[in-house]
Amino acid sequence: MITSMTGYAAISKEIPQGSLALELRSVNNRYLDLLFRLPDEFRPLEPEMRELLGTRLARGKIDCRLTFTAYPGAIQQQRLNNTLLHELRDLSHEIKSVFPNAGDLTLADILRWPGILDSDRVSINELHAPCMELLQATLHELIATREREGEKLKHLLLERLHRLRQLVQDLQPRLPAMLTGFQERLLNRLQAAGLDERDERIRQEFTLFANKIDVDEELSRLQSHLDEVERTLQKGGVAGKRLDFLMQELNREANTLASKSVDSEITQASVKIKVLIEQLREQIQNIE
């Protein structure tokens, strides 16, 4: 199954200590980029959360946001950290002995000092299991949304592949007539210039130029690359990088086709082919 890198999932979970809510947002990115927005007390869980996401996701920028709302009574009344409070007092006296004009710490400054207030917070050990269960469930939902989006992308890509195949297939049977028509026009110009087309040097140059403008090989390679794109889409899995490489190969052949064209039909078809390839490339940027 083809998977998109775009997705969103959000699940909340009620536990005895409070309410946990987790959001996962995913957008396209060349590699796997994980961003965590966690309350400070949940930071110890980040390595395990990162490992879990890394085992299930291959590419994409993932924003993981976790919030916890404790129930009244789950956290006891806050109290001052007396040890830290005395350390602050001593530090303040020491600083004022060196800088007499330094201002005094205000009550607001003291209360904002990290760690100055203690509380019997809910233990992270109590929250570990429900938090990881919530991440598992949310990740499952995120993957499901990415897979649904991937299926939509797959159908769009196959539709454009069909249009590309049709353009290539329509050109191939016309090549002999196109080449013959060009040869006749060139012979007429040689005759009008008073040159003998039977001259050996002219015949050699004519043959060389005819080989240069023959686009049968480019059309065959385009068809081969289109076959490989379809096989990759049908196979599924992590296919974004492979498909991006194939788009580069398709674009290279389309550019060569346009540069060798001496016929208006081939020129017009090559322009349409390049437009479709660019549309494919833009959509493939979102595939995992």
Side-chain angles (χ1 to χ4, degrees):
M1 179 178 289
I2 289 295
T3 304
S4 169
M5 284 188 281
T6 299
Y8 174 78
I11 299 179
S12 60
K13 181 181 181 71
E14 302 298 323
I15 59 176
Q17 299 87 346
S19 176
L20 282 169
L22 193 143
E23 290 185 8
L24 290 174
R25 298 176 184 271
S26 174
V27 295
N28 62 314
N29 196 57
R30 190 173 181 183
Y31 305 104
L32 182 62
D33 183 12
L34 302 176
L35 175 63
F36 291 89
R37 305 176 191 274
L38 310 176
D40 290 340
E41 59 267 33
F42 287 85
R43 284 295 171 186
L45 297 182
E46 182 176 330
E48 188 174 351
M49 297 173 74
R50 183 178 294 274
E51 182 180 359
L52 175 59
L53 292 174
T55 59
R56 301 291 304 279
L57 304 172
R59 298 174 69 200
K61 184 176 182 180
I62 315 297
D63 187 351
C64 177
R65 183 186 298 270
L66 176 69
T67 58
F68 174 64
T69 304
Y71 291 145
I75 297 179
Q76 296 180 4
Q77 186 175 3
Q78 292 182 324
R79 58 183 180 272
L80 286 171
N81 183 333
N82 288 317
T83 301
L84 182 56
L85 186 63
H86 285 85
E87 289 178 1
L88 279 176
R89 180 197 61 190
D90 295 339
L91 286 171
S92 179
H93 290 162
E94 185 177 345
I95 291 171
K96 287 181 72 67
S97 67
V98 180
F99 301 101
N101 296 326
D104 295 325
L105 285 172
T106 66
L107 178 60
D109 293 333
I110 295 171
L111 290 176
R112 284 198 299 266
W113 198 272
I116 198 66
L117 293 175
D118 280 341
S119 63
D120 295 330
R121 293 179 179 271
V122 177
S123 170
I124 188 62
N125 293 328
E126 298 177 26
L127 298 176
H128 174 271
C131 181
M132 295 308 296
E133 290 171 2
L134 180 61
L135 179 60
Q136 286 272 16
T138 311
L139 177 58
H140 179 77
E141 180 62 28
L142 176 71
I143 291 173
T145 61
R146 285 168 43 129
E147 287 176 345
R148 289 194 294 270
E149 184 66 23
E151 279 300 296
K152 295 177 184 177
L153 275 174
K154 178 181 174 180
H155 291 307
L156 289 174
L157 292 169
L158 288 174
E159 179 186 343
R160 286 193 165 89
L161 275 179
H162 175 73
R163 291 163 61 186
L164 271 169
R165 283 185 188 281
Q166 198 62 53
L167 285 170
V168 172
Q169 291 171 359
D170 288 347
L171 280 178
Q172 283 178 321
R174 299 178 187 176
L175 287 183
M178 292 178 184
L179 188 57
T180 300
F182 175 76
Q183 290 173 340
E184 290 176 352
R185 292 194 298 273
L186 185 57
L187 283 173
N188 291 334
R189 291 178 183 177
L190 289 173
Q191 292 171 354
L195 299 175
D196 187 356
E197 69 274 10
R198 293 171 296 180
D199 183 275
E200 185 62 26
R201 186 173 61 82
I202 292 179
R203 291 175 64 87
Q204 289 176 356
E205 291 292 333
F206 184 85
T207 301
L208 181 62
F209 187 69
N211 289 332
K212 285 183 178 180
I213 64 172
D214 187 1
V215 295
D216 184 64
E217 186 175 347
E218 283 70 29
L219 292 177
S220 296
R221 283 200 291 262
L222 277 170
Q223 188 67 56
S224 176
H225 293 327
L226 291 174
D227 291 341
E228 185 59 28
V229 171
E230 184 167 355
R231 278 194 294 269
T232 302
L233 287 172
Q234 299 295 359
K235 181 180 178 182
V238 179
K241 291 184 179 179
R242 173 64 177 166
L243 290 169
D244 186 62
F245 169 76
L246 290 170
M247 290 304 104
Q248 295 177 38
E249 295 300 303
L250 283 169
N251 200 51
R252 182 178 295 111
E253 298 302 332
N255 286 334
T256 305
L257 180 68
S259 67
K260 294 175 69 172
S261 174
V262 292
D263 183 273
S264 61
E265 288 189 44
I266 295 179
T267 300
Q268 293 171 9
S270 65
V271 171
K272 294 178 181 178
I273 288 172
K274 290 176 69 173
V275 169
L276 284 171
I277 292 172
E278 180 60 25
Q279 291 173 348
L280 282 172
R281 190 193 66 79
E282 289 178 358
Q283 292 175 329
I284 282 170
Q285 296 302 309
N286 204 31
I287 290 179
E288 185 178 22

PDB file of all heavy atoms in Angstrom, residues 222 225 245-257 273-275 277-278 281:
ATOM      1  N   LEU A 222      11.012   5.771 -22.223  1.00  0.00           N
ATOM      2  CA  LEU A 222       9.888   6.360 -21.501  1.00  0.00           C
ATOM      3  C   LEU A 222       8.878   5.284 -21.113  1.00  0.00           C
ATOM      4  O   LEU A 222       8.399   5.249 -19.967  1.00  0.00           O
ATOM      5  CB  LEU A 222       9.193   7.416 -22.375  1.00  0.00           C
ATOM      6  CG  LEU A 222       9.804   8.818 -22.397  1.00  0.00           C
ATOM      7  CD1 LEU A 222       9.150   9.662 -23.483  1.00  0.00           C
ATOM      8  CD2 LEU A 222       9.641   9.512 -21.041  1.00  0.00           C
ATOM      9  N   HIS A 225      10.275   3.208 -18.221  1.00  0.00           N
ATOM     10  CA  HIS A 225      10.211   3.916 -16.934  1.00  0.00           C
ATOM     11  C   HIS A 225       8.765   3.980 -16.416  1.00  0.00           C
ATOM     12  O   HIS A 225       8.536   3.860 -15.202  1.00  0.00           O
ATOM     13  CB  HIS A 225      10.774   5.328 -17.077  1.00  0.00           C
ATOM     14  CG  HIS A 225      12.244   5.366 -17.366  1.00  0.00           C
ATOM     15  ND1 HIS A 225      13.122   4.423 -16.877  1.00  0.00           N
ATOM     16  CD2 HIS A 225      12.995   6.239 -18.096  1.00  0.00           C
ATOM     17  CE1 HIS A 225      14.338   4.709 -17.285  1.00  0.00           C
ATOM     18  NE2 HIS A 225      14.289   5.806 -18.024  1.00  0.00           N
ATOM     19  N   PHE A 245      13.217   9.199  -7.996  1.00  0.00           N
ATOM     20  CA  PHE A 245      14.298   8.873  -8.934  1.00  0.00           C
ATOM     21  C   PHE A 245      13.740   8.586 -10.330  1.00  0.00           C
ATOM     22  O   PHE A 245      14.295   9.043 -11.342  1.00  0.00           O
ATOM     23  CB  PHE A 245      15.074   7.666  -8.421  1.00  0.00           C
ATOM     24  CG  PHE A 245      16.026   7.081  -9.424  1.00  0.00           C
ATOM     25  CD1 PHE A 245      17.233   7.709  -9.708  1.00  0.00           C
ATOM     26  CD2 PHE A 245      15.709   5.909 -10.098  1.00  0.00           C
ATOM     27  CE1 PHE A 245      18.105   7.183 -10.654  1.00  0.00           C
ATOM     28  CE2 PHE A 245      16.581   5.379 -11.037  1.00  0.00           C
ATOM     29  CZ  PHE A 245      17.788   6.007 -11.315  1.00  0.00           C
ATOM     30  N   LEU A 246      12.648   7.836 -10.393  1.00  0.00           N
ATOM     31  CA  LEU A 246      12.044   7.513 -11.689  1.00  0.00           C
ATOM     32  C   LEU A 246      11.510   8.764 -12.381  1.00  0.00           C
ATOM     33  O   LEU A 246      11.550   8.856 -13.615  1.00  0.00           O
ATOM     34  CB  LEU A 246      10.921   6.489 -11.503  1.00  0.00           C
ATOM     35  CG  LEU A 246      11.382   5.083 -11.117  1.00  0.00           C
ATOM     36  CD1 LEU A 246      10.192   4.215 -10.718  1.00  0.00           C
ATOM     37  CD2 LEU A 246      12.143   4.428 -12.276  1.00  0.00           C
ATOM     38  N   MET A 247      11.030   9.740 -11.605  1.00  0.00           N
ATOM     39  CA  MET A 247      10.573  10.995 -12.208  1.00  0.00           C
ATOM     40  C   MET A 247      11.742  11.725 -12.874  1.00  0.00           C
ATOM     41  O   MET A 247      11.585  12.333 -13.937  1.00  0.00           O
ATOM     42  CB  MET A 247       9.939  11.894 -11.144  1.00  0.00           C
ATOM     43  CG  MET A 247       8.603  11.407 -10.608  1.00  0.00           C
ATOM     44  SD  MET A 247       7.352  11.129 -11.879  1.00  0.00           S
ATOM     45  CE  MET A 247       7.378   9.325 -11.962  1.00  0.00           C
ATOM     46  N   GLN A 248      12.919  11.659 -12.242  1.00  0.00           N
ATOM     47  CA  GLN A 248      14.102  12.277 -12.837  1.00  0.00           C
ATOM     48  C   GLN A 248      14.454  11.602 -14.161  1.00  0.00           C
ATOM     49  O   GLN A 248      14.819  12.274 -15.139  1.00  0.00           O
ATOM     50  CB  GLN A 248      15.276  12.179 -11.864  1.00  0.00           C
ATOM     51  CG  GLN A 248      15.085  12.962 -10.570  1.00  0.00           C
ATOM     52  CD  GLN A 248      16.242  12.767  -9.616  1.00  0.00           C
ATOM     53  OE1 GLN A 248      17.406  12.697 -10.021  1.00  0.00           O
ATOM     54  NE2 GLN A 248      15.942  12.669  -8.335  1.00  0.00           N
ATOM     55  N   GLU A 249      14.347  10.276 -14.196  1.00  0.00           N
ATOM     56  CA  GLU A 249      14.642   9.541 -15.431  1.00  0.00           C
ATOM     57  C   GLU A 249      13.624   9.861 -16.522  1.00  0.00           C
ATOM     58  O   GLU A 249      13.990  10.042 -17.700  1.00  0.00           O
ATOM     59  CB  GLU A 249      14.642   8.032 -15.144  1.00  0.00           C
ATOM     60  CG  GLU A 249      15.750   7.586 -14.207  1.00  0.00           C
ATOM     61  CD  GLU A 249      17.126   7.897 -14.762  1.00  0.00           C
ATOM     62  OE1 GLU A 249      17.429   7.433 -15.875  1.00  0.00           O
ATOM     63  OE2 GLU A 249      17.893   8.621 -14.094  1.00  0.00           O
ATOM     64  N   LEU A 250      12.356   9.933 -16.153  1.00  0.00           N
ATOM     65  CA  LEU A 250      11.325  10.289 -17.127  1.00  0.00           C
ATOM     66  C   LEU A 250      11.560  11.688 -17.686  1.00  0.00           C
ATOM     67  O   LEU A 250      11.426  11.920 -18.894  1.00  0.00           O
ATOM     68  CB  LEU A 250       9.939  10.219 -16.470  1.00  0.00           C
ATOM     69  CG  LEU A 250       9.328   8.834 -16.266  1.00  0.00           C
ATOM     70  CD1 LEU A 250       8.099   8.932 -15.378  1.00  0.00           C
ATOM     71  CD2 LEU A 250       8.967   8.204 -17.602  1.00  0.00           C
ATOM     72  N   ASN A 251      11.902  12.606 -16.820  1.00  0.00           N
ATOM     73  CA  ASN A 251      12.122  13.989 -17.250  1.00  0.00           C
ATOM     74  C   ASN A 251      13.329  14.087 -18.179  1.00  0.00           C
ATOM     75  O   ASN A 251      13.326  14.868 -19.138  1.00  0.00           O
ATOM     76  CB  ASN A 251      12.325  14.877 -16.021  1.00  0.00           C
ATOM     77  CG  ASN A 251      12.071  16.332 -16.313  1.00  0.00           C
ATOM     78  OD1 ASN A 251      11.044  16.700 -16.872  1.00  0.00           O
ATOM     79  ND2 ASN A 251      13.017  17.181 -15.957  1.00  0.00           N
ATOM     80  N   ARG A 252      14.358  13.288 -17.896  1.00  0.00           N
ATOM     81  CA  ARG A 252      15.548  13.296 -18.761  1.00  0.00           C
ATOM     82  C   ARG A 252      15.188  12.831 -20.177  1.00  0.00           C
ATOM     83  O   ARG A 252      15.620  13.431 -21.174  1.00  0.00           O
ATOM     84  CB  ARG A 252      16.623  12.394 -18.152  1.00  0.00           C
ATOM     85  CG  ARG A 252      17.922  12.364 -18.965  1.00  0.00           C
ATOM     86  CD  ARG A 252      18.975  11.494 -18.313  1.00  0.00           C
ATOM     87  NE  ARG A 252      19.392  12.050 -17.033  1.00  0.00           N
ATOM     88  CZ  ARG A 252      19.132  11.517 -15.852  1.00  0.00           C
ATOM     89  NH1 ARG A 252      18.423  10.403 -15.779  1.00  0.00           N
ATOM     90  NH2 ARG A 252      19.566  12.079 -14.741  1.00  0.00           N
ATOM     91  N   GLU A 253      14.399  11.765 -20.274  1.00  0.00           N
ATOM     92  CA  GLU A 253      14.004  11.258 -21.595  1.00  0.00           C
ATOM     93  C   GLU A 253      13.080  12.247 -22.308  1.00  0.00           C
ATOM     94  O   GLU A 253      13.173  12.412 -23.527  1.00  0.00           O
ATOM     95  CB  GLU A 253      13.312   9.899 -21.451  1.00  0.00           C
ATOM     96  CG  GLU A 253      14.177   8.804 -20.864  1.00  0.00           C
ATOM     97  CD  GLU A 253      15.437   8.556 -21.668  1.00  0.00           C
ATOM     98  OE1 GLU A 253      15.436   8.797 -22.900  1.00  0.00           O
ATOM     99  OE2 GLU A 253      16.445   8.134 -21.063  1.00  0.00           O
ATOM    100  N   ALA A 254      12.202  12.897 -21.553  1.00  0.00           N
ATOM    101  CA  ALA A 254      11.297  13.877 -22.163  1.00  0.00           C
ATOM    102  C   ALA A 254      12.076  15.071 -22.706  1.00  0.00           C
ATOM    103  O   ALA A 254      11.755  15.600 -23.782  1.00  0.00           O
ATOM    104  CB  ALA A 254      10.269  14.341 -21.133  1.00  0.00           C
ATOM    105  N   ASN A 255      13.108  15.502 -21.991  1.00  0.00           N
ATOM    106  CA  ASN A 255      13.944  16.607 -22.475  1.00  0.00           C
ATOM    107  C   ASN A 255      14.685  16.216 -23.748  1.00  0.00           C
ATOM    108  O   ASN A 255      14.802  17.018 -24.685  1.00  0.00           O
ATOM    109  CB  ASN A 255      14.947  17.016 -21.393  1.00  0.00           C
ATOM    110  CG  ASN A 255      14.297  17.797 -20.261  1.00  0.00           C
ATOM    111  OD1 ASN A 255      13.274  18.446 -20.452  1.00  0.00           O
ATOM    112  ND2 ASN A 255      14.870  17.725 -19.076  1.00  0.00           N
ATOM    113  N   THR A 256      15.200  14.989 -23.786  1.00  0.00           N
ATOM    114  CA  THR A 256      15.900  14.519 -24.990  1.00  0.00           C
ATOM    115  C   THR A 256      14.938  14.422 -26.165  1.00  0.00           C
ATOM    116  O   THR A 256      15.274  14.785 -27.299  1.00  0.00           O
ATOM    117  CB  THR A 256      16.544  13.144 -24.727  1.00  0.00           C
ATOM    118  OG1 THR A 256      17.391  13.219 -23.587  1.00  0.00           O
ATOM    119  CG2 THR A 256      17.366  12.694 -25.929  1.00  0.00           C
ATOM    120  N   LEU A 257      13.738  13.935 -25.882  1.00  0.00           N
ATOM    121  CA  LEU A 257      12.711  13.838 -26.926  1.00  0.00           C
ATOM    122  C   LEU A 257      12.423  15.210 -27.525  1.00  0.00           C
ATOM    123  O   LEU A 257      12.340  15.366 -28.752  1.00  0.00           O
ATOM    124  CB  LEU A 257      11.438  13.237 -26.325  1.00  0.00           C
ATOM    125  CG  LEU A 257      10.244  13.050 -27.270  1.00  0.00           C
ATOM    126  CD1 LEU A 257      10.550  11.983 -28.303  1.00  0.00           C
ATOM    127  CD2 LEU A 257       8.995  12.670 -26.466  1.00  0.00           C
ATOM    128  N   ILE A 273       3.985  15.730 -22.292  1.00  0.00           N
ATOM    129  CA  ILE A 273       4.638  14.710 -21.463  1.00  0.00           C
ATOM    130  C   ILE A 273       5.361  15.361 -20.293  1.00  0.00           C
ATOM    131  O   ILE A 273       5.264  14.902 -19.151  1.00  0.00           O
ATOM    132  CB  ILE A 273       5.605  13.872 -22.325  1.00  0.00           C
ATOM    133  CG1 ILE A 273       4.815  12.947 -23.253  1.00  0.00           C
ATOM    134  CG2 ILE A 273       6.545  13.041 -21.439  1.00  0.00           C
ATOM    135  CD1 ILE A 273       5.658  12.229 -24.281  1.00  0.00           C
ATOM    136  N   LYS A 274       6.067  16.445 -20.570  1.00  0.00           N
ATOM    137  CA  LYS A 274       6.811  17.125 -19.495  1.00  0.00           C
ATOM    138  C   LYS A 274       5.872  17.722 -18.456  1.00  0.00           C
ATOM    139  O   LYS A 274       6.165  17.703 -17.255  1.00  0.00           O
ATOM    140  CB  LYS A 274       7.710  18.204 -20.102  1.00  0.00           C
ATOM    141  CG  LYS A 274       8.878  17.653 -20.903  1.00  0.00           C
ATOM    142  CD  LYS A 274       9.685  18.741 -21.576  1.00  0.00           C
ATOM    143  CE  LYS A 274      10.438  19.569 -20.572  1.00  0.00           C
ATOM    144  NZ  LYS A 274      11.359  20.526 -21.222  1.00  0.00           N
ATOM    145  N   VAL A 275       4.735  18.253 -18.896  1.00  0.00           N
ATOM    146  CA  VAL A 275       3.753  18.808 -17.952  1.00  0.00           C
ATOM    147  C   VAL A 275       3.210  17.708 -17.041  1.00  0.00           C
ATOM    148  O   VAL A 275       3.113  17.870 -15.814  1.00  0.00           O
ATOM    149  CB  VAL A 275       2.598  19.496 -18.702  1.00  0.00           C
ATOM    150  CG1 VAL A 275       1.457  19.834 -17.740  1.00  0.00           C
ATOM    151  CG2 VAL A 275       3.091  20.760 -19.390  1.00  0.00           C
ATOM    152  N   ILE A 277       4.639  14.831 -16.301  1.00  0.00           N
ATOM    153  CA  ILE A 277       5.714  14.357 -15.423  1.00  0.00           C
ATOM    154  C   ILE A 277       5.890  15.302 -14.236  1.00  0.00           C
ATOM    155  O   ILE A 277       6.081  14.863 -13.098  1.00  0.00           O
ATOM    156  CB  ILE A 277       7.041  14.216 -16.207  1.00  0.00           C
ATOM    157  CG1 ILE A 277       6.939  13.076 -17.217  1.00  0.00           C
ATOM    158  CG2 ILE A 277       8.218  13.976 -15.258  1.00  0.00           C
ATOM    159  CD1 ILE A 277       8.123  12.987 -18.161  1.00  0.00           C
ATOM    160  N   GLU A 278       5.800  16.603 -14.486  1.00  0.00           N
ATOM    161  CA  GLU A 278       5.934  17.576 -13.401  1.00  0.00           C
ATOM    162  C   GLU A 278       4.769  17.441 -12.419  1.00  0.00           C
ATOM    163  O   GLU A 278       4.965  17.546 -11.198  1.00  0.00           O
ATOM    164  CB  GLU A 278       5.970  18.994 -13.975  1.00  0.00           C
ATOM    165  CG  GLU A 278       6.107  20.096 -12.928  1.00  0.00           C
ATOM    166  CD  GLU A 278       7.365  19.978 -12.096  1.00  0.00           C
ATOM    167  OE1 GLU A 278       8.347  19.381 -12.561  1.00  0.00           O
ATOM    168  OE2 GLU A 278       7.354  20.493 -10.956  1.00  0.00           O
ATOM    169  N   ARG A 281       5.524  14.431 -10.373  1.00  0.00           N
ATOM    170  CA  ARG A 281       6.612  14.699  -9.427  1.00  0.00           C
ATOM    171  C   ARG A 281       6.102  15.453  -8.206  1.00  0.00           C
ATOM    172  O   ARG A 281       6.492  15.154  -7.071  1.00  0.00           O
ATOM    173  CB  ARG A 281       7.714  15.493 -10.115  1.00  0.00           C
ATOM    174  CG  ARG A 281       9.000  15.620  -9.291  1.00  0.00           C
ATOM    175  CD  ARG A 281       9.913  16.656  -9.885  1.00  0.00           C
ATOM    176  NE  ARG A 281       9.336  17.983  -9.791  1.00  0.00           N
ATOM    177  CZ  ARG A 281       9.357  18.710  -8.674  1.00  0.00           C
ATOM    178  NH1 ARG A 281       9.910  18.248  -7.573  1.00  0.00           N
ATOM    179  NH2 ARG A 281       8.811  19.912  -8.664  1.00  0.00           N
TER     180      ARG A 281
END
